[in-house]
Amino acid sequence: MAGDKAEVLALAPKPTIVGPLEKVFTVHKLWEAPDRDAFLAGVAPRVRAIASAGGHAPVDAALMGRLPHLEIVSSFGVGYDHVDAKWAGQHGIVVTNTPDVLTEEVADTALGLMLCTVREFPQAERYLRDGKWTARNYPLSKATMRNRTVGIVGLGRIGKAIARRIEAMGVPVVYCGRNRQPDVAYRYYDDLVAMARDVDILMVVTPGGAATKDLINAAVLEALGPDGILINMSRGSVVDEPALIAALRDKKILSAGLDVFVNEPEVPDELMAMEHVVLFPHLGSASLHTRQAMDQLVVDNLVAWAAGKPPLTPVAETPWPAKRK
């Protein structure tokens, strides 16, 4: 077996990942198979790794269980709720993601989305393009960053990068999460509803998955109040979308800025029709610079593993070295 290339199952047609992998590995392209079940049955005994190019292709127990020699899943993106990492860890399979290389980009996007939502910048730009400025000035924005407090839900790497930017604007920051963070001085809340009641802007950057599904629910939005603004940079599943639509429609909150949605790329018609919200098409890390770095980290994790070295960024549920049953 010495000198043989390890065999990798690639789940999505992403040339910037698949191309570099083909220089090092034998790559099986699942999307090209007319009969996926038959294809998987044929390659399963030889596949030792999965390259997952994003969150739209689930890497669940059913898939991993079909690959008896699977050792690693290298996933694109900092979020990995599409991978059953708990099951993987229990079966000695390492899961990696692509943190850090996207932190600052996502934080930049979050700040931009927040400012667009608070100051109505997209609406003002549409107003100008529609030729309305020649008749009268755009109305004064209802909200401002002045005299506001931002509550961050999930103060991880990205949450802290966002907090630094907000703090530099002279805006107070508080946060809510599973645990108090020892390296920050921001006020900590262990009760999300209580924090929502005390802040003016709720910035959501917590991981997705079952544990946070519908975390931002009707009670949280009610506590945020009629002058409150919700910004979601995490996963669409974290926000109870019907409850949000109702809160916006009934003016229980002032506005929302959303970069993520429950059924992407589909966006509810009710949100599309609302002029007082700002909607981004999941732009968080979407620059050439950052996406190239994320692609490379997917590849680098697999290259390190194939060389017998520790993967660069294993997730918490699957620490290295893995212990197979």
Side-chain angles (χ1 to χ4, degrees):
M1 296 294 290
D4 287 353
K5 290 183 177 182
E7 300 193 26
V8 176
L9 179 66
L11 302 185
K14 205 166 194 293
T16 48
I17 291 176
V18 174
L21 287 177
E22 287 182 314
K23 297 177 181 178
V24 183
F25 303 99
T26 298
V27 178
H28 301 288
K29 302 171 183 176
L30 183 59
W31 66 91
E32 291 183 349
D35 184 335
R36 292 194 174 198
D37 283 337
F39 178 80
L40 281 172
V43 303
R46 305 189 305 277
V47 166
R48 295 172 55 206
I50 289 176
S52 172
H56 298 296
V59 184
D60 53 18
L63 174 61
M64 290 185 282
R66 296 186 66 174
L67 308 173
H69 302 294
L70 183 65
E71 297 178 25
I72 184 170
V73 176
S74 186
S75 180
F76 175 91
V78 66
Y80 53 94
D81 45 301
H82 61 289
V83 181
D84 191 338
K86 182 179 179 180
W87 190 94
Q90 291 169 344
H91 292 79
I93 300 165
V94 175
V95 177
T96 63
N97 63 342
T98 59
D100 298 324
V101 293
L102 54 65
T103 297
E104 302 303 327
E105 197 78 73
V106 176
D108 291 345
T109 307
L111 194 70
L113 178 56
M114 181 179 68
L115 289 172
C116 283
T117 308
V118 172
R119 290 297 316 281
E120 305 173 17
F121 292 149
Q123 294 92 326
E125 203 248 6
R126 289 197 298 269
Y127 186 91
L128 180 150
R129 287 182 180 274
D130 289 344
K132 297 178 181 178
W133 191 23
T134 56
R136 58 189 289 257
N137 287 337
Y138 183 80
L140 301 178
S141 62
K142 300 177 184 66
T144 175
M145 290 302 300
R146 303 308 104 204
N147 301 317
R148 280 183 172 256
T149 298
V150 176
I152 297 179
V153 184
L155 200 71
R157 294 180 181 91
I158 295 171
K160 288 174 183 175
I162 295 169
R164 290 196 303 270
R165 287 158 171 76
I166 295 171
E167 192 176 28
M169 296 169 63
V171 177
V173 172
V174 300
Y175 72 101
C176 179
R178 288 175 294 180
N179 301 298
R180 186 186 299 271
Q181 299 290 321
D183 57 340
V184 300
Y186 312 127
R187 180 180 174 183
Y188 170 67
Y189 287 80
D190 60 7
D191 184 325
L192 179 54
V193 171
M195 186 178 79
R197 192 175 295 118
D198 288 350
V199 303
D200 309 281
I201 298 172
L202 208 57
M203 172 73 70
V204 186
V205 284
T206 192
T212 57
K213 187 177 187 305
D214 292 343
L215 179 67
I216 308 302
N217 56 25
V220 173
L221 296 169
E222 185 84 29
L224 186 57
D227 293 323
I229 292 174
L230 175 73
I231 307 294
N232 188 11
M233 290 295 301
S234 56
R235 286 285 189 265
S237 61
V238 175
V239 174
D240 181 339
E241 215 162 60
L244 173 61
I245 290 168
L248 289 163
R249 181 192 62 221
D250 300 339
K251 297 182 171 30
K252 291 186 176 180
I253 66 171
L254 180 63
S255 185
L258 308 172
D259 187 45
V260 289
F261 306 88
V262 173
N263 295 311
E264 296 178 7
E266 301 299 323
V267 177
D269 291 340
E270 297 93 333
L271 289 174
M272 294 284 280
M274 291 178 178
E275 285 294 320
H276 65 304
V277 301
V278 177
L279 311 175
F280 282 2
H282 205 146
L283 294 178
S285 61
S287 72
L288 284 171
H289 169 86
T290 296
R291 289 293 173 85
Q292 287 168 356
M294 294 166 67
D295 291 343
Q296 189 61 50
L297 188 48
V298 171
V299 175
D300 289 347
N301 270 304
L302 289 173
V303 170
W305 158 80
K309 300 176 182 177
L312 305 178
T313 54
V315 304
E317 295 91 337
T318 65
W320 180 266
K323 295 181 180 179
R324 300 187 71 86
K325 285 188 174 181

